[in-house]
Amino acid sequence: MFDSRHIRTFHEVVRTGSYSAAARALGYTQPAVTQQMKALERDVGSALFVRVGRGMRLTEAGQALSRHASGILDSMSAAQEQMNALTRLRSGRVRLCAFPSANSTLVPETLARLAASHPGIRVDLLEDEPPESLRRLARGECDVSLAFTYPGLRQHVPGELVEIPLLEDQLTVLLPRAHALARRRMVRLADLAGERWIAGCPRCRANLLHECAEVGFVPDIAFMTDDNLAVQSLVAEGLGVAMIPALVLNFMRHEKVAGRPLQPFSRRKIFAYVLREHLRVPATSLVLEELRTVAANKVGC
């Protein structure tokens, strides 16, 4: 492995034609240049220069190294510039995996803030529900993952992941606006025992069963869909009621539905996850910082 300083000095000796001229150009003493060239020749395993009268001539090994020296120095300069850009947050790429309601609320605002303050940072957006989003992070398919958990539902978090709390999201009931309970400010979950239900993602369905069991009934699940817009439309047509996080209400509005907080109060918790070593990556840390800022202004914080 060649020392980059020796390559730079060698390139200057070739350019100027002598050790003394290279020393003046680089601000070195001539003995320092001589020692560096001797060290480079040891690394190469061959002489690089031969004396010809008062001048020097490159050996065959010297000629071969000279053909590569400019490219090596250019690559080193480009690498240094790229590292400076990354550490100073002029550029960088972060792969963010989030669940649908986060991609519709937390993520767009976060990306807008990043675009305004650090336009060189690129975020590649992926979508997946937990726990698959955490598995993708552990497999190295993304750099940051957003996931949620519900009360009473355990979530396995791989040991190599760091969990960063973002917000707590109040659970609400989505009702047809003409429903008698829609006139209340809050709705007791037990009062919905006789309703038909529209359930969401597998984790959301599991939580619905858990919450209803806590107040003494098994919900009659008539429809199941992961599409939040479909849930709202089914409720609007009077086909059932739904338990949804308040975050979903931030981006969904339908004149025929009403969202009301549930009693007893229950919240899902939203976290950002990252591999521990990625916390030291400036662009990743910046994305996490912006996510925390945006989350602090959302419901339930």
Side-chain angles (χ1 to χ4, degrees):
M1 182 66 68
F2 300 147
D3 188 315
S4 60
R5 295 170 302 170
H6 297 168
I7 296 294
R8 191 176 301 280
T9 301
F10 169 77
H11 180 69
E12 197 62 28
V13 171
V14 174
R15 188 185 71 82
T16 60
S18 69
Y19 285 3
S20 58
R24 288 193 297 272
L26 294 171
Y28 294 161
T29 64
Q30 183 172 330
V33 171
T34 301
Q35 291 302 316
Q36 286 193 40
M37 291 304 92
K38 287 181 178 179
L40 182 57
E41 288 177 334
R42 287 195 298 272
D43 290 340
V44 171
S46 174
L48 297 172
F49 302 96
V50 292
R51 291 284 180 182
V52 179
R54 294 184 177 182
M56 295 189 307
R57 178 173 57 83
L58 287 167
T59 65
E60 185 177 0
Q63 291 173 5
L65 182 59
S66 180
R67 286 193 293 270
H68 292 288
S70 294
I72 292 171
L73 293 173
D74 287 345
S75 295
M76 289 170 51
S77 178
Q80 183 63 55
E81 178 60 30
Q82 186 174 1
M83 293 306 101
N84 288 340
L86 290 171
T87 55
R88 295 171 187 172
L89 292 172
R90 295 200 303 269
S91 69
R93 177 188 177 212
V94 179
R95 298 165 299 167
L96 173 62
C97 184
F99 52 93
S101 59
N103 272 341
S104 300
T105 50
L106 295 175
V107 172
E109 189 173 340
T110 298
L111 299 189
R113 289 174 59 91
L114 284 169
S117 62
H118 294 84
I121 301 297
R122 171 181 171 179
V123 178
D124 295 339
L125 188 57
L126 309 171
E127 184 168 286
D128 223 328
E129 297 277 2
E132 182 57 29
S133 57
L134 297 185
R135 298 190 189 107
R136 295 184 71 169
L137 179 59
R139 292 195 300 263
E141 297 175 10
C142 59
D143 305 304
V144 177
S145 178
L146 299 186
F148 58 86
T149 187
Y150 284 108
L153 299 182
R154 297 182 61 184
Q155 174 169 281
H156 172 69
V157 179
E160 65 269 27
L161 303 187
V162 176
E163 183 179 80
I164 301 167
L166 292 180
L167 63 88
E168 293 188 1
D169 192 9
Q170 172 71 50
L171 294 182
T172 65
V173 61
L174 200 62
L175 301 161
R177 189 165 290 279
H179 196 290
L181 295 178
R183 294 193 292 269
R184 298 183 183 179
R185 292 181 58 190
M186 294 186 180
V187 176
R188 293 175 63 246
L189 182 57
D191 291 341
L192 299 168
E195 301 287 341
R196 297 206 309 170
W197 288 82
I198 299 147
C201 70
R203 183 167 288 198
C204 299
R205 291 196 292 272
N207 181 67
L208 173 62
L209 293 170
H210 169 78
E211 298 276 354
C212 293
E214 288 289 295
V215 297
F217 73 94
V218 177
D220 175 14
I221 297 177
F223 302 99
M224 293 184 292
T225 174
D226 293 348
D227 187 330
N228 286 315
L229 181 57
V231 170
Q232 183 175 218
S233 297
L234 289 167
V235 172
E237 295 302 324
L239 296 171
V241 300
M243 181 184 292
I244 64 170
L247 192 64
V248 175
L249 296 178
N250 286 349
F251 69 94
M252 290 171 55
R253 291 290 184 270
H254 196 297
E255 62 181 11
K256 292 183 179 181
V257 302
R260 297 291 182 265
L262 278 167
Q263 290 182 317
F265 289 112
S266 185
R267 300 172 183 264
R268 72 171 179 173
K269 295 182 179 181
I270 297 175
F271 301 91
Y273 295 88
V274 63
L275 290 167
R276 191 172 304 278
E277 58 267 27
H278 286 183
L279 288 172
R280 299 194 300 270
V281 178
T284 301
S285 294
L286 177 63
V287 169
L288 291 170
E289 178 183 336
E290 293 293 358
L291 280 168
R292 282 192 292 261
T293 299
V294 171
N297 296 320
K298 295 299 181 184
V299 294
C301 297

